[in-house]
DNA sequence: AATGTCTCCAACCGCCATAGG
DNA sequence: GCCTATGGCGGTTGGAGACAT
């Protein structure tokens, strides 16, 4: 038993909206408002469309003050930063970008920004070995279903692996640069937590780093991250092993907190 | 010029949360 | 507390146009 459909699928039109339909919907909403009921709206507006379809069309295309077209560098920054912090919560990200819709941002991320950030085309070789010399999971592994649960928790947004910039590709044995999205408080519930003060952000291919950077402690016990003025993030002063995982000197490690 | 492949994005689908009876 | 209707959201799809062969 599936859920009852929201409209009679046999009698509603699907597919791209015609200019006439757009005009009908726009005119109706401008004159009468949404009226608190999208399901009833198409009938009142004289449209043979599902209410959900009307809602989507209005929110994503017809609504006033919508921005269409290229995203600015500033918008890129906001999206990157928020994605690093909260993951694919497109509606929340959209709320930080006036005039942009969640659908827009989602499409932009999936088709352009992700490629820009990860810099990967299929068949393009990875910038470093898949073998992680220090036991830290390779960024690619974060996408695998069997990725160790200790690196995520149900209460944490998805972790975001970042490909190393050129600067970091020269680190010892190609050790991985991993920057996790960060918040402003320590979650305290993750197996591995470097973020007493939280922190997070993203490094764009240009090497520029976006995101908040705050102090950190490990599990509330030990200060392991130190700010290095020569570095845009936090660095270990020397190679360290933390809960069985070794980190190289200068490794920037941030974790969602 | 014809055909195949890729990219982009509007729109749909299905799930979940919430409100109201 | 249960059921149903609706809104809202993220993931996915399909088609049109661009590009490559």
């Amino acid at each position: 038993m599936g859920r009852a459909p929201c409209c009679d699928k046999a009698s509603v039109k699907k597919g791209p909206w015609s200019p006439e339909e757009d005009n009908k919907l726009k005119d109706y909403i401008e004159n009468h408002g949404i009226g608190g009921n999208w399901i009833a709206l198409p009938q009142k507006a004289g449209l043979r469309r599902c209410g959900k379809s009307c809602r989507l069309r209005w929110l994503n295309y017809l609504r006033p003050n919508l921005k269409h077209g290229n995203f600015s560098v500033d918008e890129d920054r906001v999206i990157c930063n928020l994605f690093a912090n909260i993951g694919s919560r497109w509606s929340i990200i959209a709320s930080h970008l006036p005039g942009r819709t969640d659908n827009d941002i989602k499409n932009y991320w999936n088709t352009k920004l992700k490629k820009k950030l990860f810099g990967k085309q299929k068949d393009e070789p990875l910038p470093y070995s898949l073998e992680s010399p220090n036991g830290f999971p390779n960024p690619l592994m974060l996408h695998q279903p069997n990725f160790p649960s200790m690196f995520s928790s149900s209460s944490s947004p998805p972790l975001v692996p970042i490909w190393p910039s050129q600067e970091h590709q020269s680190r010892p044995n190609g050790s991985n640069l991993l920057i996790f999205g960060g918040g402003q408080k320590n979650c305290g519930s993750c197996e591995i937590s470097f973020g007493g003060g939280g922190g997070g952000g993203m490094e764009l291919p240009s090497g520029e780093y976006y995101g908040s950077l705050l102090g950190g402690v490990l599990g509330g016990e030990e200060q392991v991250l130190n700010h290095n003025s020569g570095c845009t993030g936090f660095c270990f002063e020397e190679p360290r092993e933390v809960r069985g995982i070794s980190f190289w000197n200068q490794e920037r490690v941030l974790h969602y907190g």
Side-chain angles (χ1 to χ4, degrees):
Chain A
M1 263 294 271
R3 181 188 164 73
C6 66
C7 52
D8 179 5
K9 293 198 187 290
S11 64
V12 299
K13 189 182 166 207
K14 287 164 69 170
W17 281 64
S18 67
E20 292 75 27
E21 288 177 309
D22 280 347
N23 286 335
K24 272 190 184 177
L25 181 61
K26 205 162 172 242
D27 286 348
Y28 182 85
I29 292 177
E30 282 171 358
N31 291 322
H32 303 91
I34 291 156
N37 190 339
W38 282 108
I39 302 298
L41 188 145
Q43 202 179 4
K44 292 179 191 168
L47 288 160
R48 286 183 52 239
R49 288 278 180 174
C50 170
K52 278 189 166 189
S53 178
C54 293
R55 175 182 165 271
L56 216 59
R57 185 64 180 169
W58 172 256
L59 293 177
N60 288 339
Y61 197 80
L62 298 174
R63 185 161 52 108
N65 304 320
L66 280 181
K67 271 191 219 168
H68 296 288
N70 293 343
F71 281 70
S72 68
V73 174
D74 280 345
E75 287 174 316
D76 278 7
R77 272 179 210 178
V78 172
I79 296 169
C80 290
N81 199 7
L82 285 169
F83 188 92
N85 279 282
I86 63 175
S88 58
R89 312 273 290 274
W90 305 117
S91 59
I92 296 174
I93 294 173
S95 71
H96 288 78
L97 295 172
R100 299 292 188 186
T101 69
D102 55 350
N103 209 36
D104 250 359
I105 294 167
K106 182 169 56 182
N107 281 333
Y108 180 56
W109 172 264
N110 284 330
T111 60
K112 293 181 186 165
L113 205 48
K114 194 161 66 177
K115 288 175 193 164
K116 210 155 93 175
L117 281 167
F118 293 102
K120 311 235 46 66
Q121 302 293 328
K122 61 177 185 180
D123 301 335
E124 184 183 333
L126 296 174
Y128 52 81
S129 165
L130 281 172
E131 294 300 320
S132 175
N134 54 11
F136 204 92
N138 185 281
L140 280 181
M141 292 172 68
L142 293 166
H143 292 307
Q144 304 306 312
N146 58 351
F147 183 74
S149 60
M150 66 178 286
F151 290 99
S152 66
S153 77
S154 57
S155 60
S156 296
L159 303 176
V160 183
I162 308 300
W163 298 101
S165 66
Q166 267 192 332
E167 170 201 356
H168 291 84
Q169 285 173 32
S170 59
R171 284 168 306 141
N173 301 321
S175 57
N176 299 326
L177 169 69
L178 289 168
I179 300 175
F180 296 96
Q184 299 304 312
K185 60 182 171 49
N186 185 10
C187 65
S189 62
C190 300
E191 277 285 327
I192 180 169
S193 172
F194 301 98
M202 285 186 134
E203 181 169 349
L204 298 187
S206 63
E208 196 174 353
Y209 182 87
Y210 299 119
S212 59
L213 293 167
L214 300 168
V217 295
L218 173 66
E221 302 156 5
E222 184 193 358
Q223 185 77 29
V224 294
L225 302 175
N226 295 285
H227 188 251
N228 176 333
S229 60
C231 175
T232 55
F234 288 98
C235 305
F236 290 101
E237 284 184 324
E238 56 193 47
R240 283 175 182 273
E241 183 170 297
V242 177
R243 299 193 186 183
I245 298 169
S246 300
F247 294 92
W248 295 98
N249 186 25
Q250 300 293 300
E251 189 89 47
R252 282 198 258 170
V253 183
L254 299 174
H255 176 254
Y256 181 79

